[in-house]
Amino acid sequence: MTVKTLAARFALVVSCGLMTATPAMAQFWQCAPYAREISGISIHGNANTWWGQAAGKYARGHAPKVGAVLAFQSTRRMRVGHVAMVSQVVSDREVLLTHANWSRPGAIERNVRAIDVSAAGDWSEVKVWYGPLGGLGTSSYPTNGFIYSDHAPVNDAAPMADTNVIATVAAVPVIPTAGE
């Protein structure tokens, strides 16, 4: 093999590697660090620990509010739970969520639909928009409730390294609920 042939092969390998490289600003997001960054709720650890950690530190409840974090319970499919921030309250049984690592590993989704499907209307079971299906699908997920931040979402729910967004749903008009 000549030096020219080796140089050509090396150049080909390097150029192929550069074409598949991830941009410097792209980031693989897990749900918990992303929820912490956009909501301002300073809880660390797996998502399934957030509800317990919030006790005595943050108000918790079963009514959605913008900026609150919905804490999902662990399941067979979600062993470490999930957390997602409420970006808009559409009605007492529907919200838009902003979260990471749901439809595609590490990706961010903004303003995706979630509905309360619990019998009691207490947000203890939800369905969430799933990208590959382009809708809610048939799966429902148990939740603990909402953890309320003491301030509005940070940076319009988008951190600086937000280059891995896979879905954003158009804004839905807010429909006031009783007591607003």
Side-chain angles (χ1 to χ4, degrees), residues 93 116-125:
R93 303 279 304 243
D116 174 17
V117 295
S118 64
D122 62 359
W123 287 90
S124 59
E125 186 174 357

Side-chain angles (χ1 to χ4, degrees), residues 9-129:
R9 285 186 179 175
F10 178 76
L12 180 62
V13 169
V14 168
S15 65
C16 287
L18 290 174
M19 290 189 314
T20 61
T22 304
M25 289 187 61
Q27 182 166 351
F28 183 95
W29 284 101
Q30 294 291 339
C31 66
Y34 185 70
R36 182 174 49 254
E37 178 155 334
I38 64 173
S39 71
I41 294 177
S42 186
I43 295 178
H44 295 264
N46 289 336
N48 61 346
T49 68
W50 278 44
W51 185 255
Q53 287 188 62
K57 187 173 181 182
Y58 294 96
R60 303 180 307 173
H62 300 283
K65 294 180 183 178
V66 172
V69 169
L70 181 58
F72 291 67
Q73 295 178 14
S74 296
T75 66
R76 282 183 72 192
R77 291 170 60 192
M78 294 189 314
R79 296 198 187 278
V80 295
H82 185 71
V83 286
M85 190 193 74
V86 176
S87 48
Q88 183 175 346
V89 176
V90 177
S91 71
D92 60 344
R93 303 279 304 243
E94 182 177 350
V95 297
L96 300 183
L97 297 176
T98 294
H99 60 167
N101 206 25
W102 184 264
S103 293
R104 194 176 84 208
I108 294 166
E109 295 174 297
R110 286 196 207 135
N111 300 321
V112 296
R113 185 174 185 223
I115 60 170
D116 174 17
V117 295
S118 64
D122 62 359
W123 287 90
S124 59
E125 186 174 357
V126 298
K127 286 187 176 187
V128 179
W129 184 87

Side-chain angles (χ1 to χ4, degrees), residues 2 4 6 11 18 27 30 57 81 98 110 118 137 141 144 147 149 153 167-168 176:
T2 67
K4 271 185 156 180
L6 285 174
L18 290 174
Q27 182 166 351
Q30 294 291 339
K57 187 173 181 182
T98 294
R110 286 196 207 135
S118 64
Y141 302 91
N144 292 307
I147 302 168
S149 67
T168 300

